[in-house]
Amino acid sequence: LPPTPPSPLPRPHSHSLLFPPILPSLLASISFILAASSASWCDFALRHISSRSANERTTAIGIWTYQGWGNTGREECYRYPDDFTPDTSFRVARVGSGVGCVMGWISLILLVIMFFGGVGVGGWHWHVVGLFCGLAGVCEGLVLGGLFGSDYCRLTREGEWVRCSFLRGAVCEVMAIVIWWGTCGIAFYNAIVVITATAGTAGRGH
């Protein structure tokens, strides 16, 4: 009998349903939209000001703007006044927001190129995507820690006690961080799958 022909070697993407770039692309898109939106809103957190002589006052604040009453009688977003001097922690939140969006945008572009351009057979592609997604998650985490750890969420200029609580911006920021790290995990997992498959294919070829 003629020898049985060897079975064809599996392609790298057949080893895992997580390999196709469509899933991390969608996750990265959602995370980027959440992070960018939370940075642009003026209701990232609710600032509670406690005073002995008056009832507690609340104001919605954001990274770049705050919420106030406009001439129309409705709440509107305003930029912080010129005499507002953010402390180091607040500046870290602003820098983290900007850098995080840049890192997220780069990872999203890479994933889109991999999806539409057919790139992704090399493990290093996924390593790069995982790195940028992880950096985006770290930077967005600095936004939360920087804002809620700033003096703006502790004391007023008059020495009144202040505490800050979550509003929709902070909630979306937490969701963005979780999704960024999830996308990072998928990317590194896919890198391991591709490298393992490639090594096995090379071993069979000798």
Side-chain angles (χ1 to χ4, degrees):
L1 295 177
T4 304
S7 58
L9 296 177
R11 290 182 295 179
H13 65 268
S14 65
H15 287 269
S16 172
L17 294 177
L18 298 179
F19 183 86
I22 181 62
L23 176 58
S25 297
L26 291 175
L27 293 176
S29 301
I30 295 173
S31 186
F32 178 80
I33 293 174
L34 289 173
S37 299
S38 65
S40 63
W41 291 335
C42 58
D43 55 351
F44 189 94
L46 187 62
R47 191 169 182 248
H48 306 261
I49 304 175
S50 301
S51 175
R52 295 181 180 179
S53 59
N55 295 329
E56 182 180 85
R57 308 187 307 275
T58 58
T59 304
I61 61 173
I63 304 298
W64 303 98
T65 57
Y66 71 97
Q67 198 173 75
W69 291 97
N71 297 327
T72 59
R74 296 184 300 177
E75 291 182 324
E76 299 177 359
C77 294
Y78 298 92
R79 289 191 173 274
Y80 287 103
D82 295 335
D83 60 349
F84 172 70
T85 305
D87 62 348
T88 302
S89 185
F90 204 101
R91 292 193 184 98
V92 168
R94 287 182 167 181
V95 173
S97 175
V99 176
C101 286
V102 172
M103 296 294 103
W105 179 251
I106 293 175
S107 64
L108 181 58
I109 292 298
L110 292 175
L111 285 167
V112 170
I113 293 175
M114 292 167 64
F115 177 65
F116 289 101
V119 182
V121 295
W124 70 272
H125 295 111
W126 288 108
H127 276 135
V128 173
V129 171
L131 176 63
F132 279 106
C133 289
L135 289 175
V138 170
C139 292
E140 299 302 340
L142 293 177
V143 177
L144 282 176
L147 180 63
F148 285 93
S150 66
D151 292 339
Y152 201 53
C153 283
R154 294 179 181 176
L155 289 172
T156 64
R157 296 177 179 177
E158 293 75 22
E160 298 172 311
W161 291 102
V162 178
R163 65 180 180 88
C164 291
S165 58
F166 278 31
L167 283 181
R168 65 168 181 167
V171 173
C172 288
E173 190 73 18
V174 172
M175 294 172 62
I177 294 171
V178 173
I179 298 175
W180 276 133
W181 280 105
T183 309
C184 174
I186 291 175
F188 281 112
Y189 176 83
N190 286 342
I192 295 174
V193 170
V194 174
I195 292 174
T196 303
T198 303
T201 303
R204 292 186 183 184
H206 290 290

